[in-house]
PDB file of all heavy atoms in Angstrom:
ATOM      1  N   GLU A   1     210.042  69.170-101.985  1.00 90.00           N
ATOM      2  CA  GLU A   1     209.563  68.742-100.650  1.00 90.00           C
ATOM      3  C   GLU A   1     208.324  67.949-100.831  1.00 90.00           C
ATOM      4  O   GLU A   1     208.200  66.973 -99.935  1.00 90.00           O
ATOM      5  CB  GLU A   1     209.229  70.063 -99.914  1.00 90.00           C
ATOM      6  CG  GLU A   1     210.489  70.953 -99.519  1.00 90.00           C
ATOM      7  CD  GLU A   1     210.158  72.150 -98.832  1.00 90.00           C
ATOM      8  OE1 GLU A   1     208.948  72.452 -98.680  1.00 90.00           O
ATOM      9  OE2 GLU A   1     211.073  72.952 -98.492  1.00 90.00           O
ATOM     10  N   LYS A   2     207.511  68.209-101.703  1.00 88.00           N
ATOM     11  CA  LYS A   2     206.220  67.433-101.930  1.00 88.00           C
ATOM     12  C   LYS A   2     206.582  66.026-102.372  1.00 88.00           C
ATOM     13  O   LYS A   2     206.051  64.918-101.849  1.00 88.00           O
ATOM     14  CB  LYS A   2     205.332  68.127-103.019  1.00 88.00           C
ATOM     15  CG  LYS A   2     204.057  67.427-103.106  1.00 88.00           C
ATOM     16  CD  LYS A   2     203.124  67.607-101.890  1.00 88.00           C
ATOM     17  CE  LYS A   2     201.666  67.044-102.054  1.00 88.00           C
ATOM     18  NZ  LYS A   2     200.842  67.220-100.894  1.00 88.00           N
ATOM     19  N   GLN A   3     207.546  65.766-103.118  1.00 92.00           N
ATOM     20  CA  GLN A   3     207.924  64.501-103.678  1.00 92.00           C
ATOM     21  C   GLN A   3     208.537  63.654-102.489  1.00 92.00           C
ATOM     22  O   GLN A   3     208.266  62.576-102.315  1.00 92.00           O
ATOM     23  CB  GLN A   3     208.964  64.519-104.768  1.00 92.00           C
ATOM     24  CG  GLN A   3     209.267  63.178-105.395  1.00 92.00           C
ATOM     25  CD  GLN A   3     209.812  63.359-106.853  1.00 92.00           C
ATOM     26  OE1 GLN A   3     209.916  64.470-107.369  1.00 92.00           O
ATOM     27  NE2 GLN A   3     210.029  62.253-107.472  1.00 92.00           N
ATOM     28  N   THR A   4     209.335  64.291-101.626  1.00 94.00           N
ATOM     29  CA  THR A   4     209.918  63.605-100.459  1.00 94.00           C
ATOM     30  C   THR A   4     208.774  63.210 -99.519  1.00 94.00           C
ATOM     31  O   THR A   4     208.715  62.124 -99.002  1.00 94.00           O
ATOM     32  CB  THR A   4     210.930  64.519 -99.727  1.00 94.00           C
ATOM     33  OG1 THR A   4     212.030  64.836-100.610  1.00 94.00           O
ATOM     34  CG2 THR A   4     211.362  63.895 -98.462  1.00 94.00           C
ATOM     35  N   ASP A   5     207.825  64.200 -99.339  1.00 92.00           N
ATOM     36  CA  ASP A   5     206.774  63.840 -98.471  1.00 92.00           C
ATOM     37  C   ASP A   5     205.901  62.619 -98.887  1.00 92.00           C
ATOM     38  O   ASP A   5     205.495  61.826 -98.229  1.00 92.00           O
ATOM     39  CB  ASP A   5     205.859  65.155 -98.271  1.00 92.00           C
ATOM     40  CG  ASP A   5     204.704  64.792 -97.371  1.00 92.00           C
ATOM     41  OD1 ASP A   5     204.841  64.402 -96.179  1.00 92.00           O
ATOM     42  OD2 ASP A   5     203.419  64.951 -97.835  1.00 92.00           O
ATOM     43  N   LEU A   6     205.635  62.645-100.309  1.00 91.00           N
ATOM     44  CA  LEU A   6     204.852  61.565-100.845  1.00 91.00           C
ATOM     45  C   LEU A   6     205.546  60.287-100.721  1.00 91.00           C
ATOM     46  O   LEU A   6     204.932  59.116-100.485  1.00 91.00           O
ATOM     47  CB  LEU A   6     204.471  61.870-102.312  1.00 91.00           C
ATOM     48  CG  LEU A   6     203.480  63.014-102.677  1.00 91.00           C
ATOM     49  CD1 LEU A   6     203.650  63.229-104.213  1.00 91.00           C
ATOM     50  CD2 LEU A   6     202.145  62.541-102.156  1.00 91.00           C
ATOM     51  N   ALA A   7     206.900  60.247-100.764  1.00 94.00           N
ATOM     52  CA  ALA A   7     207.601  59.071-100.775  1.00 94.00           C
ATOM     53  C   ALA A   7     207.614  58.544 -99.248  1.00 94.00           C
ATOM     54  O   ALA A   7     207.423  57.274 -99.050  1.00 94.00           O
ATOM     55  CB  ALA A   7     209.049  59.229-101.155  1.00 94.00           C
ATOM     56  N   ARG A   8     207.809  59.404 -98.380  1.00 94.00           N
ATOM     57  CA  ARG A   8     207.692  58.971 -96.984  1.00 94.00           C
ATOM     58  C   ARG A   8     206.424  58.324 -96.521  1.00 94.00           C
ATOM     59  O   ARG A   8     206.175  57.414 -95.936  1.00 94.00           O
ATOM     60  CB  ARG A   8     208.048  60.182 -96.026  1.00 94.00           C
ATOM     61  CG  ARG A   8     209.633  60.575 -96.098  1.00 94.00           C
ATOM     62  CD  ARG A   8     209.732  61.846 -95.329  1.00 94.00           C
ATOM     63  NE  ARG A   8     211.215  62.182 -95.302  1.00 94.00           N
ATOM     64  CZ  ARG A   8     211.582  63.414 -94.982  1.00 94.00           C
ATOM     65  NH1 ARG A   8     210.829  64.302 -94.423  1.00 94.00           N
ATOM     66  NH2 ARG A   8     212.884  63.688 -95.003  1.00 94.00           N
ATOM     67  N   ARG A   9     205.270  59.161 -96.959  1.00 91.00           N
ATOM     68  CA  ARG A   9     203.869  58.755 -96.687  1.00 91.00           C
ATOM     69  C   ARG A   9     203.547  57.306 -97.211  1.00 91.00           C
ATOM     70  O   ARG A   9     202.998  56.389 -96.641  1.00 91.00           O
ATOM     71  CB  ARG A   9     202.931  59.676 -97.021  1.00 91.00           C
ATOM     72  CG  ARG A   9     202.848  60.944 -96.101  1.00 91.00           C
ATOM     73  CD  ARG A   9     201.653  61.738 -96.367  1.00 91.00           C
ATOM     74  NE  ARG A   9     201.684  62.453 -97.535  1.00 91.00           N
ATOM     75  CZ  ARG A   9     200.609  62.850 -98.359  1.00 91.00           C
ATOM     76  NH1 ARG A   9     199.543  62.338 -98.176  1.00 91.00           N
ATOM     77  NH2 ARG A   9     200.842  63.575 -99.496  1.00 91.00           N
ATOM     78  N   ALA A  10     203.935  57.116 -98.573  1.00 92.00           N
ATOM     79  CA  ALA A  10     203.657  55.857 -99.154  1.00 92.00           C
ATOM     80  C   ALA A  10     204.468  54.646 -98.475  1.00 92.00           C
ATOM     81  O   ALA A  10     203.918  53.628 -98.395  1.00 92.00           O
ATOM     82  CB  ALA A  10     204.016  55.962-100.631  1.00 92.00           C
ATOM     83  N   ALA A  11     205.741  55.009 -98.157  1.00 94.00           N
ATOM     84  CA  ALA A  11     206.542  53.926 -97.680  1.00 94.00           C
ATOM     85  C   ALA A  11     206.033  53.432 -96.226  1.00 94.00           C
ATOM     86  O   ALA A  11     206.103  52.267 -95.963  1.00 94.00           O
ATOM     87  CB  ALA A  11     208.071  54.412 -97.401  1.00 94.00           C
ATOM     88  N   ARG A  12     205.421  54.369 -95.616  1.00 92.00           N
ATOM     89  CA  ARG A  12     204.914  54.037 -94.188  1.00 92.00           C
ATOM     90  C   ARG A  12     203.644  53.080 -94.321  1.00 92.00           C
ATOM     91  O   ARG A  12     203.330  52.371 -93.275  1.00 92.00           O
ATOM     92  CB  ARG A  12     204.463  55.308 -93.440  1.00 92.00           C
ATOM     93  CG  ARG A  12     205.563  56.080 -92.936  1.00 92.00           C
ATOM     94  CD  ARG A  12     205.095  57.080 -91.780  1.00 92.00           C
ATOM     95  NE  ARG A  12     204.272  58.015 -92.324  1.00 92.00           N
ATOM     96  CZ  ARG A  12     204.576  59.250 -92.667  1.00 92.00           C
ATOM     97  NH1 ARG A  12     205.842  59.557 -92.609  1.00 92.00           N
ATOM     98  NH2 ARG A  12     203.702  60.105 -93.090  1.00 92.00           N
ATOM     99  N   GLU A  13     203.188  52.858 -95.433  1.00 89.00           N
ATOM    100  CA  GLU A  13     202.046  51.884 -95.650  1.00 89.00           C
ATOM    101  C   GLU A  13     202.367  50.503 -95.654  1.00 89.00           C
ATOM    102  O   GLU A  13     201.651  49.521 -95.560  1.00 89.00           O
ATOM    103  CB  GLU A  13     201.254  52.275 -96.920  1.00 89.00           C
ATOM    104  CG  GLU A  13     200.645  53.586 -97.016  1.00 89.00           C
ATOM    105  CD  GLU A  13     199.558  53.766 -95.810  1.00 89.00           C
ATOM    106  OE1 GLU A  13     198.738  52.964 -95.744  1.00 89.00           O
ATOM    107  OE2 GLU A  13     199.578  54.814 -95.253  1.00 89.00           O
ATOM    108  N   PHE A  14     203.778  50.265 -95.686  1.00 92.00           N
ATOM    109  CA  PHE A  14     204.236  48.862 -95.867  1.00 92.00           C
ATOM    110  C   PHE A  14     205.003  48.490 -94.552  1.00 92.00           C
ATOM    111  O   PHE A  14     205.696  49.362 -93.897  1.00 92.00           O
ATOM    112  CB  PHE A  14     205.263  48.725 -97.071  1.00 92.00           C
ATOM    113  CG  PHE A  14     204.527  49.002 -98.319  1.00 92.00           C
ATOM    114  CD1 PHE A  14     204.387  50.201 -98.876  1.00 92.00           C
ATOM    115  CD2 PHE A  14     203.774  47.947 -98.970  1.00 92.00           C
ATOM    116  CE1 PHE A  14     203.698  50.529-100.107  1.00 92.00           C
ATOM    117  CE2 PHE A  14     203.085  48.236-100.124  1.00 92.00           C
ATOM    118  CZ  PHE A  14     203.052  49.576-100.692  1.00 92.00           C
ATOM    119  N   ASP A  15     204.910  47.206 -94.281  1.00 91.00           N
ATOM    120  CA  ASP A  15     205.558  46.731 -93.069  1.00 91.00           C
ATOM    121  C   ASP A  15     207.097  46.131 -93.267  1.00 91.00           C
ATOM    122  O   ASP A  15     207.938  46.449 -92.305  1.00 91.00           O
ATOM    123  CB  ASP A  15     204.761  45.533 -92.423  1.00 91.00           C
ATOM    124  CG  ASP A  15     203.433  46.057 -91.944  1.00 91.00           C
ATOM    125  OD1 ASP A  15     203.297  47.153 -91.522  1.00 91.00           O
ATOM    126  OD2 ASP A  15     202.418  45.200 -92.101  1.00 91.00           O
ATOM    127  N   SER A  16     207.228  45.562 -94.327  1.00 91.00           N
ATOM    128  CA  SER A  16     208.597  44.915 -94.569  1.00 91.00           C
ATOM    129  C   SER A  16     209.591  46.086 -94.940  1.00 91.00           C
ATOM    130  O   SER A  16     209.367  46.918 -95.740  1.00 91.00           O
ATOM    131  CB  SER A  16     208.534  43.890 -95.667  1.00 91.00           C
ATOM    132  OG  SER A  16     208.043  44.430 -96.849  1.00 91.00           O
ATOM    133  N   ILE A  17     210.744  46.014 -94.438  1.00 90.00           N
ATOM    134  CA  ILE A  17     211.784  47.000 -94.552  1.00 90.00           C
ATOM    135  C   ILE A  17     212.281  47.039 -95.862  1.00 90.00           C
ATOM    136  O   ILE A  17     212.407  48.164 -96.543  1.00 90.00           O
ATOM    137  CB  ILE A  17     212.943  46.780 -93.607  1.00 90.00           C
ATOM    138  CG1 ILE A  17     212.384  47.029 -92.147  1.00 90.00           C
ATOM    139  CG2 ILE A  17     214.066  47.721 -93.952  1.00 90.00           C
ATOM    140  CD1 ILE A  17     213.493  46.728 -91.087  1.00 90.00           C
ATOM    141  N   PRO A  18     212.550  45.967 -96.702  1.00 91.00           N
ATOM    142  CA  PRO A  18     213.082  46.044 -98.119  1.00 91.00           C
ATOM    143  C   PRO A  18     212.033  46.781 -99.001  1.00 91.00           C
ATOM    144  O   PRO A  18     212.438  47.542 -99.862  1.00 91.00           O
ATOM    145  CB  PRO A  18     213.398  44.557 -98.465  1.00 91.00           C
ATOM    146  CG  PRO A  18     213.629  43.891 -97.126  1.00 91.00           C
ATOM    147  CD  PRO A  18     212.662  44.529 -96.174  1.00 91.00           C
ATOM    148  N   LEU A  19     210.786  46.330 -98.903  1.00 94.00           N
ATOM    149  CA  LEU A  19     209.728  46.930 -99.771  1.00 94.00           C
ATOM    150  C   LEU A  19     209.567  48.396 -99.292  1.00 94.00           C
ATOM    151  O   LEU A  19     209.369  49.247-100.287  1.00 94.00           O
ATOM    152  CB  LEU A  19     208.487  46.113 -99.532  1.00 94.00           C
ATOM    153  CG  LEU A  19     207.271  46.667-100.380  1.00 94.00           C
ATOM    154  CD1 LEU A  19     207.616  46.688-101.921  1.00 94.00           C
ATOM    155  CD2 LEU A  19     206.072  45.710-100.204  1.00 94.00           C
ATOM    156  N   ARG A  20     209.504  48.748 -98.057  1.00 94.00           N
ATOM    157  CA  ARG A  20     209.326  50.110 -97.713  1.00 94.00           C
ATOM    158  C   ARG A  20     210.530  50.987 -98.381  1.00 94.00           C
ATOM    159  O   ARG A  20     210.227  52.091 -98.744  1.00 94.00           O
ATOM    160  CB  ARG A  20     209.460  50.161 -96.136  1.00 94.00           C
ATOM    161  CG  ARG A  20     208.956  51.503 -95.571  1.00 94.00           C
ATOM    162  CD  ARG A  20     209.288  51.481 -94.092  1.00 94.00           C
ATOM    163  NE  ARG A  20     208.599  50.476 -93.436  1.00 94.00           N
ATOM    164  CZ  ARG A  20     208.801  50.036 -92.142  1.00 94.00           C
ATOM    165  NH1 ARG A  20     209.809  50.680 -91.513  1.00 94.00           N
ATOM    166  NH2 ARG A  20     208.232  49.051 -91.671  1.00 94.00           N
ATOM    167  N   LYS A  21     211.668  50.523 -98.284  1.00 94.00           N
ATOM    168  CA  LYS A  21     212.874  51.280 -98.824  1.00 94.00           C
ATOM    169  C   LYS A  21     212.637  51.383-100.403  1.00 94.00           C
ATOM    170  O   LYS A  21     212.973  52.540-100.830  1.00 94.00           O
ATOM    171  CB  LYS A  21     214.084  50.579 -98.432  1.00 94.00           C
ATOM    172  CG  LYS A  21     215.278  51.389 -98.872  1.00 94.00           C
ATOM    173  CD  LYS A  21     216.646  50.633 -98.612  1.00 94.00           C
ATOM    174  CE  LYS A  21     217.853  51.413 -98.925  1.00 94.00           C
ATOM    175  NZ  LYS A  21     217.956  51.665-100.364  1.00 94.00           N
ATOM    176  N   GLN A  22     212.259  50.279-100.963  1.00 95.00           N
ATOM    177  CA  GLN A  22     212.180  50.403-102.417  1.00 95.00           C
ATOM    178  C   GLN A  22     211.060  51.420-102.897  1.00 95.00           C
ATOM    179  O   GLN A  22     211.220  52.216-103.755  1.00 95.00           O
ATOM    180  CB  GLN A  22     211.737  48.957-102.970  1.00 95.00           C
ATOM    181  CG  GLN A  22     211.833  48.796-104.543  1.00 95.00           C
ATOM    182  CD  GLN A  22     213.290  48.906-105.002  1.00 95.00           C
ATOM    183  OE1 GLN A  22     214.230  48.161-104.532  1.00 95.00           O
ATOM    184  NE2 GLN A  22     213.465  49.741-106.004  1.00 95.00           N
ATOM    185  N   VAL A  23     209.919  51.310-102.203  1.00 96.00           N
ATOM    186  CA  VAL A  23     209.006  52.294-102.482  1.00 96.00           C
ATOM    187  C   VAL A  23     209.318  53.767-102.230  1.00 96.00           C
ATOM    188  O   VAL A  23     209.086  54.597-103.070  1.00 96.00           O
ATOM    189  CB  VAL A  23     207.668  51.943-101.655  1.00 96.00           C
ATOM    190  CG1 VAL A  23     206.653  53.082-101.751  1.00 96.00           C
ATOM    191  CG2 VAL A  23     207.028  50.691-102.046  1.00 96.00           C
ATOM    192  N   ARG A  24     210.000  54.011-101.035  1.00 97.00           N
ATOM    193  CA  ARG A  24     210.454  55.276-100.777  1.00 97.00           C
ATOM    194  C   ARG A  24     211.444  55.758-101.854  1.00 97.00           C
ATOM    195  O   ARG A  24     211.336  56.993-102.319  1.00 97.00           O
ATOM    196  CB  ARG A  24     210.941  55.406 -99.367  1.00 97.00           C
ATOM    197  CG  ARG A  24     211.452  56.778 -99.016  1.00 97.00           C
ATOM    198  CD  ARG A  24     212.209  56.786 -97.575  1.00 97.00           C
ATOM    199  NE  ARG A  24     213.496  56.158 -97.711  1.00 97.00           N
ATOM    200  CZ  ARG A  24     213.914  55.047 -97.150  1.00 97.00           C
ATOM    201  NH1 ARG A  24     213.071  54.587 -96.167  1.00 97.00           N
ATOM    202  NH2 ARG A  24     215.046  54.515 -97.229  1.00 97.00           N
TER     203      ARG A  24
END
């Protein structure tokens, strides 16, 4: 659960959809 939460929070820092998905 923590790893999923970290992935979601980090992804929200980016605007572009491809980069957001790659980070998540």
Side-chain angles (χ1 to χ4, degrees):
E1 291 176 1
K2 187 66 174 178
Q3 189 158 0
T4 297
D5 179 61
L6 289 171
R8 289 173 178 168
R9 282 193 285 146
R12 285 199 295 265
E13 297 297 317
F14 297 92
D15 295 325
S16 56
I17 294 175
L19 180 56
R20 190 186 306 163
K21 183 179 185 302
Q22 190 71 45
V23 168
R24 185 186 66 240

